[in-house]
Amino acid sequence: QVQLAESGGGLVQPGGSLRLSCAASGNTSSIPYIDWFRRTATHQHEREWAAQITARGTTFYADTVQGRFTISRNDLQNTVTLQMNNLKPDDTGVYYCNTRISHSNYWGQGTQVNVSS
């Protein structure tokens, strides 16, 4: 069993930055990767994948966030951070971290990000 908890959301002006954190607990050694997904105005019915970091630290990004978002991990603290720069109004939404272990899908509760002037 793994538990994930997001934090760090809030209100920021366009062009600003936010740092989200995903804290993992439980059987963290079994986590193969952590994804960040988001539910935005343009993806209301399904979560949009944004970024991934593997257990080895390899990173992947969606085209919509490439060059603006950076995903990193701190294994001592069992956290994964999503640094979001140059935020746009279209980035507004609820951000979730996720992992899949065997046939089980684990989600956090989400954290709200609002990009508005």
Side-chain angles (χ1 to χ4, degrees), residues 2-113:
V2 169
Q3 295 79 42
L4 302 174
E6 304 91 341
S7 61
L11 174 63
V12 64
Q13 293 186 344
S17 298
L18 277 176
R19 178 175 293 182
L20 305 184
S21 182
C22 174
S25 60
N27 190 14
T28 58
S29 62
S30 65
I31 296 176
Y33 57 81
I34 292 286
D35 283 319
W36 280 97
F37 283 81
R38 60 186 186 176
R39 196 186 300 275
T40 64
T42 56
H43 291 81
Q44 295 183 21
H45 302 297
E46 62 180 16
R47 292 164 175 152
E48 175 195 16
W49 175 77
Q52 181 184 88
I53 188 163
T54 70
R56 292 189 174 188
T58 304
T59 58
F60 303 92
Y61 298 94
D63 290 343
T64 51
V65 307
Q66 178 77 49
R68 301 187 298 124
F69 291 11
T70 302
I71 189 170
S72 60
R73 58 190 295 147
N74 183 326
D75 291 337
L76 291 179
Q77 297 181 348
N78 288 322
T79 58
V80 170
T81 297
L82 186 68
Q83 176 67 42
M84 306 187 297
N85 297 328
N86 190 21
L87 283 161
K88 306 174 182 180
D90 285 350
D91 295 317
T92 293
V94 181
Y95 285 68
Y96 303 87
C97 57
N98 163 269
T99 191
R100 187 175 179 88
I101 303 170
S102 298
H103 301 290
S104 297
N105 213 359
Y106 298 93
W107 294 92
Q109 80 286 354
T111 186
Q112 178 71 45
V113 171

